[in-house]
Amino acid sequence: MTQFRKSISGLLLALVAGAALADATLLNVSYDVARDVYKDYNPLFQKYWKAKSGESLELKQSHGGSTKQVRAVADGLEADVVTMNQANDIEFLADKGLVAKDWAHKFPNNASPYTSTMVFIVRKGNPKAIKDWADIAAPGVQMIIPHPKNTGNGRNTYLSAWAWALKQPGGNDKSAQEFLGKLLKNAPLFAAGGRDATTTFMQRQMGDVLITFESEAEMIAKEFGKGNFEVVYPSLTMQTEFPVALVEKVVDKKGTRKQAQAYLDYLWSKEGQENAAQNYLRPRDPEILKKYAQSFPPVKTFTVDAVFGSATKAFAVHFKDGGTFDQLYQSK
Amino acid sequence: MATTTHRVLPGFGLALGYTLVYLSLLILLPLGGMVLKASELGVGQVIDIALGERSLAAFRVTFGASLAAAAINAFFGLIVAWILVRYSFPGKRFVDALVDLPFALPTAVAGITLATLYAGNGWLGRYLEPLGVKVAYTPLGIVFALTFITLPFVVRTLQPVIEDIETEVEEAAASLGASRWQTFTRVIFPAIFPALLTGFALAFARAIGEYGSVIFIAGNLPMISEITPLLIISKLEQYDVLGATALAVVMLVLSFLLLLGVNVLQWWTANRHKHGEPLEATAAKAAGGAQ
C-alpha cells in the first residue's frame, strides 16, 4: 500500500514538475492510426522549437475515431490543433465556429501535409488476377472493406470505385451506381473498422481482396510478413488527404497560438515530411517523395474535390440517409 | 401494524427522498433528456425514421436475435442453474465463477473472440462451415454473441430460487406417486417460472442494447445483419443526433412495452401461485394427477 502511495505521489510530483518545466502545453487531437506519426513527430518539433525560441513545450496526444474526436473537441475538449483524416470532420468544427471558415487555405496543399491512396491487398500470387476495380466486381470475387457509412476507409473505397466508373467510356452517374451495386454485392460483410477489416482478411483468411490505405499495407507487412500478400495499384484511386487545423478559440484562450501555428507549419518542413514518409504516408515535398520513391510507386489519383466538388458534398450525396449507398441497399 | 414495525433503515421520508433523487439523476434525467431531444422532431418524423426499410430490418434483426438469445438462455441457463445448485462435483466453484465471466469481459473482446472461433478458418468454424452452418458474419452470429453476453442473467436469477425449493418437496411428490416429469412440470416449474421470466426479461433487455460484441461478428450488411445500435452510431457519424435519438426512443418504447408484458405475465403467475396452495399442497396435487 505504501509502495502504491509512493508511486502515486511520485507520479503526481512528476506531472506537476513536468507542467512547471514546460513553458506551454499543446494538445493534438487526432485520429486513431496517427498515433505513431505524431509520436515520432513530437520530439522532432520539441527539439526544433527549443532551438528556435528557447521554450520547452509539452505535447499531448489524444487519438480515437475521427468523428468521435471532433465531437469531443466541439463539446469542450481543449485541443490546440486537430489533425484528422477527413475534411468533413474539420468542416464540422468550422460550422461550430471553433476553426476558421477558410481553414483549408491556412496551410499549403489544402491544409493536408501528407497523403495516402487506396490500394488493393490480394493474396500471394494474386490467384483471382485482380488488377483493377472491374475485376473486383466480377462474379465469385469477395471483397473485404469496412462499413462505407461508418468509416472513412469504407467511404474512400466507395468513392474511388465511383470515380473510376465515371471515367470509363460512356460513364455517368447511372452507370457508376450500377457498378457500385455489383461491387458491393461482392462484400460478404462490412467490417467494423479499418483494422477489423485487416484482421478479417489476414487472420481469418476471408475474401480475395482487401481495400485499404497504402500506409496500412506497410503495417500489414510488419505484422504478417511481406510474403503473404501483394499490393495492387488500380488504374485510378483516391488521393486521401489528412487535413490539419488550428482550433482558434482554444489557442486564443490559452495563449498558445504562436506555438500551435509553428507545430502545424513544421509538418511541411524537411524533417516533418521525412517523418511522414517514414510512416508510409506520401510526403508533399517532391524531393523527399523522390528519396522514398521505392515505398511510393507512381499511381494515378484523383482528389475528392476534383470529382465530387468537396468531401462534404460527396458525403451528402452518397452517405447521408437516403443517399446513393442506401438506395443500393434498399432497392434489393 | 406496518407503522409500528421497527425497520432497520430509519426514516422513510429520507430513504424515499434519496431513492427518488438517485433514480432521477441516474435514469429519469438522461431518459427524459433523450425524449425531449426527440420531441424536436415530432411524432410523425420519429415514426418516419423508424419505419424506413433499413430501420425496420434492423429492428427485426435486433429484437429477433435478442428474443432468440434470451429463449436459448432460458432453456440452457435453467439447466446450468439446476446443476450448479443441486449437484456437487469437483470444480463446481470454478464453474460457478465461470458463469459471471460474460459480465466482466469487455464486450468487444467477446465479439472478436467469437468471430475468431466461428470464422471459416476458426477452431469451430472450420468444422461447421462444411456442414453448411455459417455462424460468423450472419444473423446466427448475432444470436451467438447475444447468448454469450446474457447467460449470467438467467443463471444468477434462478440460482437462489432453486436453492429455496427444498428437496423434500420433490420427495413428497415422488412418494405420493408423481412421475419425474409430473414433479417437474407441476411442482418445480411453477415455483421457478416467475424467476425464469425475470431472467428472460433481463437477458432480453441487455441483448437489445448490445453493440460491442455484435458488430465484430455480425458482418453488418444492410437489410441482413445490421443491428439498430449500429444504425444509431451511423447516424451519429453523420452528425445526425436527432435521427439517432429518434431511433433510440423507438427502441426504448418497444423494449419498455415488451418488458412490461413480461412483468405482467410474471406478476400474474406469481400471484396465482401465492393464492393457490403452498408447495407441499402442490406436490400432493401433482401426485393426485398421477392417480
Side-chain angles (χ1 to χ4, degrees), chain A residues 159-236:
Chain A
L159 295 176
S160 296
W162 188 282
W164 176 86
L166 279 183
K167 291 276 154 67
Q168 297 315 297
N172 54 33
D173 277 348
K174 196 163 160 282
S175 70
Q177 185 157 357
E178 269 166 26
F179 178 72
L180 259 294
K182 270 203 283 180
L183 189 74
L184 291 175
K185 272 211 189 86
N186 282 351
L189 61 101
F190 287 134
R195 283 287 151 90
D196 185 35
T198 302
T199 313
T200 306
F201 184 77
M202 294 305 296
Q203 218 147 44
R204 302 199 182 121
Q205 293 286 310
M206 277 196 79
D208 305 301
V209 55
L210 166 78
I211 306 171
T212 190
F213 290 105
E214 184 183 35
S215 50
E216 184 81 354
E218 287 303 326
M219 197 287 297
I220 299 174
K222 255 194 272 172
E223 197 73 17
F224 299 93
K226 261 202 161 44
N228 288 323
F229 67 92
E230 286 173 19
V231 180
V232 173
Y233 288 86
S235 64
L236 180 72

Side-chain angles (χ1 to χ4, degrees), chain A residues 4 71 84 107 111 124 141 144 180 192 206 236 240 296 304 316:
Chain A
F4 174 70
R71 190 164 304 115
M84 291 298 162
F107 294 93
K124 177 108 200 108
V141 174
I144 306 293
L180 259 294
M206 277 196 79
L236 180 72
T240 56
F296 306 113
V304 182

Side-chain angles (χ1 to χ4, degrees), chain B residues 40-54:
Chain B
E40 283 175 36
L41 274 174
V43 179
Q45 268 173 300
V46 170
I47 290 173
D48 272 355
I49 290 172
L51 290 187
E53 229 181 306
R54 246 176 98 200

Side-chain angles (χ1 to χ4, degrees), chain B residues 94-155:
Chain B
F94 178 72
V95 176
D96 197 46
L98 222 54
V99 171
D100 278 336
L101 265 192
F103 271 159
L105 198 67
T107 51
V109 175
I112 292 171
T113 311
L114 286 171
T116 312
L117 267 181
Y118 289 106
N121 66 341
W123 283 2
L124 294 170
R126 75 176 71 172
Y127 302 112
L128 286 173
E129 291 217 343
L131 301 173
V133 184
K134 280 196 141 198
V135 179
Y137 314 120
T138 66
L140 190 60
I142 303 180
V143 176
F144 271 50
L146 294 179
T147 308
F148 174 84
I149 291 298
T150 57
L151 173 72
F153 289 96
V154 175
V155 177

Side-chain angles (χ1 to χ4, degrees), chain A residues 101-113:
Chain A
K101 281 266 179 256
D102 59 341
W103 61 270
H105 305 295
K106 295 248 171 185
F107 294 93
N109 311 113
N110 228 2
S112 166

Side-chain angles (χ1 to χ4, degrees), chain A residues 238-277:
Chain A
M238 184 196 268
Q239 179 184 60
T240 56
E241 300 193 321
F242 301 83
V244 301
L246 215 61
V247 185
E248 309 278 339
K249 273 208 171 149
V250 175
V251 292
D252 285 344
K253 189 178 138 203
K254 280 172 65 182
T256 47
R257 177 176 284 277
K258 197 177 60 187
Q259 293 91 338
Q261 179 76 37
Y263 181 80
L264 293 182
D265 280 337
Y266 194 62
L267 285 167
W268 275 269
S269 70
K270 293 278 180 219
E271 290 81 2
Q273 292 285 295
E274 191 129 351
N275 176 56

